[in-house]
Amino acid sequence: MKNNMKNEKSEVPSMQKISDVTSVISHQLKTPLAGIKSSLEILSSGDLGPLNKEQQEYVELTLGSAGKMISLVRDLLDASRIDENRFVLNPGKSDIAELVGETIKELGSFAQAKNTRITLNRAGTIPPLMIDGLKVRQVISNILYNAIRYNRGKGTIEITLENKGDHVLFSCKDSGIGISDEDKKMIFNKFYRSSRVISLAPDGTGLGLYISKAIIEGSGGTIGFKSDEGKGTTFYFTLPIQ
Ligand SMILES: Nc1ncnc2c1ncn2[C@@H]1O[C@H](COP(=O)(O)OP(=O)(O)OP(=O)(O)O)[C@@H](O)[C@H]1O
Ligand SMILES: [Mg+2]
């Protein structure tokens, strides 16, 4: 007993150990979670027989939870790869206007539930970009999800996509709670969430912008924001046109 206590005290885990454990757990969760999701999708499709309304609702609810866990594991894996300089992007020809359109559609019902209106403006023809489409979509999704989640009732979100000659500029202007001057220095830090946001939306890891910055900078672009506390925030990023 005495010995055990002594061991516990001397075994203070280092940041490296925490990162290793996170990485191992994330890897071990990834495959079974994908299995759970695909089984639920088969059940939900009705291919194994029709579900009654209540059964369908439970399957959809569980699918939603599985989706959230998959995103969390993806974010933890991405963050540990960034920390270890092992974060790899796979560029290919990608239509960014399509990625933006898909993300708006995907988050449309969440915006509606929050009484928030999203508009999209396009300036100029946007050519295909050489980017990792899946990863850039992850950035757009995080920025838009933040804009909806940290908005206020009857809020607005204006998304703009512009051809600036040698680069494309994406911006997302919301009418939300804004970011204080103190928080402005920290929001790209790993796991950082403002105290205001923690009380408003407790679920979240603070990994979204940390990963977004790595994706955009790794694609040759820049990412930033302007914000007035209490009035709203505009996030933007650029991506090069080759
Ligand atoms: N549109 C916004 N309006 C106000 N604050 C924002 C906005 N976007 C980001 N923030 C601030 O930046 C912090 C970091 O954002 P980030 O996307 O990295 O994490 P998160 O949204 O809290 O969690 P996660 O994206 O991991 O689920 C947020 O917690 C919030 O304090
Ligand atoms: Mg986020």
Side-chain angles (χ1 to χ4, degrees), residues 158-217:
E158 291 167 46
I159 296 179
T160 309
L161 207 49
E162 279 176 78
N163 182 334
K164 294 281 197 185
D166 61 349
H167 65 271
V168 168
L169 173 67
F170 166 95
S171 68
C172 174
K173 181 177 181 208
D174 68 54
S175 60
I177 58 172
I179 301 172
S180 72
D181 286 343
E182 208 179 304
D183 287 326
K184 279 179 186 161
K185 296 169 216 145
M186 326 239 243
I187 59 159
F188 283 102
N189 291 356
K190 191 165 115 177
F191 295 128
Y192 187 79
R193 308 191 76 218
S194 72
S195 48
R196 176 89 200 279
V197 151
I198 291 171
S199 59
L200 188 83
D203 57 327
T205 56
L207 286 175
L209 289 176
Y210 179 70
I211 297 166
S212 299
K213 190 167 162 37
I215 295 172
I216 295 300
E217 291 179 354

Side-chain angles (χ1 to χ4, degrees), residues 6 31 34 77 85 118 128 170 181 185-186 209 212 228 241:
K6 202 176 163 195
T31 311
L77 272 172
N85 282 324
I118 305 175
F170 166 95
D181 286 343
K185 296 169 216 145
M186 326 239 243
L209 289 176
S212 299
D228 274 332
I241 296 174

Side-chain angles (χ1 to χ4, degrees), residues 142-143 145-146 149-150 206-209:
N142 180 53
I143 291 177
Y145 194 57
N146 286 350
R149 207 158 40 147
Y150 311 138
L207 286 175
L209 289 176

